[in-house]
Amino acid sequence: MKVLHATVLFVCVLIMFCSPLQAQINHGGTPKSFDKLSLSAVESVVTGTVDVEAFLAEDKIEEEQGLPFRFGAPFDVNYNIYNSGTWDDLADGGRIWRLRIESPGAYSINLIFEHFFMPPGAQMFVYSEDREMVLGSFTESNNKDHGQFSTAPVKGDICIVEYYEPAEVRNQGTVAIGRIVHAYKDIFNYGGTKGADGFGNSGSCNNNVNCPVGDPWQDEERGVCMVLLSGGSRWCSGSMINNVREDGTAYFLTANHCLGSESTWIIMFKYQSPTCSNIDGPTNFTISGTTKKASYATSDFGLLELSSTPPESYEPYYNGWSNINTASTTSTGIHHPSGDIKKISFDYDPATSTNYLSTSGTTHWRIGNWEDGTTEGGSSGSPLFDQNHRIVGQLHGGYASCTSITADWYGKFSMSWIGGGSSSNRLRDWLDPDNTATTTMDGYDPYAGVSISHTPLEDTRDTLNDYEVICLITSNSELISSELQLHYQLGVTWYDYQLQPAGDGFQGFIPAQSSGTTINYYLTAEDVSGVTDTTDTFSFFVDYSAAIEVAPSTVTATVTLGGSTIEDLIIDNTGTGALDYTIDVQQAFKLDGFITSLIDAGAMEPAQRDYPDEYDNYLIDKDSDDQREGFTVDKSAGGPDGFGYVWIDSDEPGGPTYSWVDISATGTPVALGDDATLGPFALGFDFPYYGNSYNQIYIGSNGILTFGSGSTSRLNTALPNAGAPDNMIAMWWDDLDPPEGGNIYYYYDATEDRFIVSFVNIENYISGGG
């Protein structure tokens, strides 16, 4: 007869060991020795034999006494890196220590380390002799203040412990094995001895948690674990449990009668079939080490805190609870019977408030019998859930099995809440540390929290409409509306916009911006449990601008002097904005042979000479003589300049033919005063001049013609000069005095398509006239 089912429940921790290269929050990697070919033979130690029949007989008696489920026989030893094993030095200055442990006939071996310390860079592994199962690496992150450590079982009757120590931390590590546990029961079917009904030989009436009956309990089952306890040789069950702060403190609820050697417990998550069929579950999700926070024998509870927070890959769930002393209308139990994969059981009748067996008082909830499923040895410490999916007790013991439709007893959560009146023997101080008088708590998923899904905005050409930001925000808890924010940056300033519900999601708006603006933005959200989420910062660009395309990219043409050509140049705007553009024409010229011969003969004056600054800054009165002297001109031609212009005297052989055109009868007189200008006058054609084209001209009284604007300049300077009149033809450029006599005419000759300007008998300025 089975009394205390609490034994089975702690199996949760042990399962973790089965997966290669993983163990109690291990850090992966491969033992250093695996790629070394010239290592020494490893020293081996051998345990004593185990009288299996004697142990099994004791187990029957212990089951009736309500002791936790036992699977292994412990051997207390003293093996460490100083008194046993084999050291090998490595080329990098580091070294490896290995010890081979044999326990003849064991289905598996697990180890308890009395002293364990990993310095930075050091690693420890435990693996089977065939290297098919590897636990580790264990590193400095696995160090505990109490200096102890434990590992899950490694299959087979031989395992190897390997410690690697880098050169820089030589002699700083500690590895000391205090107990070897020989598994005389094949809990995980390492020997292939289990039947088809279950990996832990639990009764056939049990339901796997992933059967359809377990679908409504998929959150709660994630919090239930199996535990390897009592010096590494026994099993129980238990559950992660939420607290009022919902801060993810790794509290674990189990049975008081499972307690002992908590510092070396191994908690195993996710040991369950992936389907409704009896398929073995993973054993690589474990945490080594717990600390007892409180316990109370009367209601048989034990509250512990895990040495590490379960990572997201473990899919932990912190189950909710009710401390109200009210019987459940229906009850559900989730547990690991006989060390098997996780099972779920149902009682569709109300629980009854009673004592436990021969004890007094109403300290327990009694399940008269399970209508679907059952409990067994190893289920001890497992949670009892009410119809609201909240824990109301943990399994103390009972007689139920697949062949015995009898009762089970669970220590009341409401009794455990007040316990013996102090923090060491009640739950209240730990699960409601702020004394809020909370009576019920729902479960908590630490990794669900708040999640924001959003498709980033793309670049836009829209400069008129605000930019809509749509997102989906999910949370296990109620969202705080004021904390659902869109944050966007314009220039150097950040702005906030509270998101508003829109369909199944939320929306926000960023004001429309002008073309050329880059906008950065991100989203934040928070729920009432204090969990937050923040997206990455996204960017998009407002691109309402022109995009010029030119074909062909260059145009080259050769024309004779005075000639013209037509070439096609296509300018296209592929953008969305207005395109403004200019065309710069770079003139290229080819000198004829005559000019080239003059240049080759050195018969050309240079196109430009440097004059002293005072030459251009010279000032004289109108009636004074100009005392400056320029460079002597002793050649009859000059140039070319940068635009290809040259000059040549008409008297020079090869020069232009001199032809005076008298326009005194046909031209239009121009009456100019002293230092005066008139215009513009229409040329009658487009005149290209130094990269520009003009169809109008101004006439200045001092013998200059200008384009674009008139000029009265009378004092010439060296050209080119930024201070001189722009765009001019300097015929005389001297201080002339048209009012004192002479005539000025202009004439457009349509026959020859030419414009003629004549200065006739215009004299220099003389003070007083005459």
Side-chain angles (χ1 to χ4, degrees), residues 274-287:
T275 69
C276 188
S277 302
N278 278 323
I279 301 172
D280 200 6
T283 58
N284 56 315
F285 299 98
T286 62
I287 290 177

Side-chain angles (χ1 to χ4, degrees), residues 698-700 702-706 711-713 725 728-731 733 759:
Y698 293 82
I699 302 174
N702 291 317
I704 58 176
L705 305 179
T706 56
S711 175
T712 60
S713 176
M728 75 171 182
I729 298 175
M731 300 178 293
W733 199 7
F759 278 63

Side-chain angles (χ1 to χ4, degrees), residues 63-94:
E63 183 180 5
E64 295 180 355
Q65 297 173 342
L67 295 178
F69 181 84
R70 184 170 66 176
F71 73 97
F75 291 93
D76 290 330
V77 297
N78 180 25
Y79 299 129
N80 58 57
I81 56 178
Y82 302 107
N83 65 14
S84 56
T86 302
W87 283 100
D88 283 286
D89 292 324
L90 303 179
D92 63 1

Side-chain angles (χ1 to χ4, degrees), residues 595-648:
I595 298 299
T596 302
S597 66
L598 292 177
I599 295 173
D600 293 341
M604 299 284 284
E605 294 284 354
Q608 179 178 343
R609 288 192 176 99
D610 292 329
Y611 284 84
D613 291 341
E614 57 269 19
Y615 189 92
D616 290 333
N617 298 329
Y618 186 75
L619 294 176
I620 59 173
D621 294 332
K622 284 182 65 65
D623 57 354
S624 299
D625 291 334
D626 190 344
Q627 302 298 319
R628 295 174 299 166
E629 292 186 8
F631 290 99
T632 301
V633 177
D634 55 11
K635 298 180 175 63
S636 298
D641 63 9
F643 280 78
Y645 290 107
V646 297
W647 64 268
I648 186 169

Side-chain angles (χ1 to χ4, degrees), residues 24 144 149-151 263-267 286-290 307:
Q24 297 80 266
K144 308 292 189 299
F149 192 65
S150 57
T151 61
S263 63
T264 57
W265 280 16
I266 295 178
I267 309 296
T286 62
I287 290 177
S288 175
T290 65
S307 61

Side-chain angles (χ1 to χ4, degrees), residues 429-501:
D429 302 75
W430 307 98
L431 303 187
D432 187 12
D434 303 313
N435 197 24
T436 64
T438 299
T439 57
T440 61
M441 281 295 297
D442 290 328
Y444 169 64
D445 188 337
Y447 297 104
V450 176
S451 177
I452 304 174
S453 299
H454 167 64
T455 301
L457 297 184
E458 298 180 349
D459 292 348
T460 181
R461 294 176 176 177
D462 189 352
T463 61
L464 301 176
N465 302 296
D466 291 348
Y467 312 118
E468 183 182 28
V469 178
I470 295 291
C471 64
L472 178 66
I473 305 176
T474 58
S475 174
N476 282 357
S477 302
E478 181 182 354
L479 293 169
I480 304 174
S481 59
S482 62
E483 297 303 319
L484 309 181
Q485 295 283 339
L486 163 64
H487 310 269
Y488 60 91
Q489 183 184 32
L490 302 177
V492 297
T493 304
W494 281 93
Y495 302 89
D496 298 330
Y497 184 99
Q498 183 174 327
L499 297 169
Q500 301 298 319

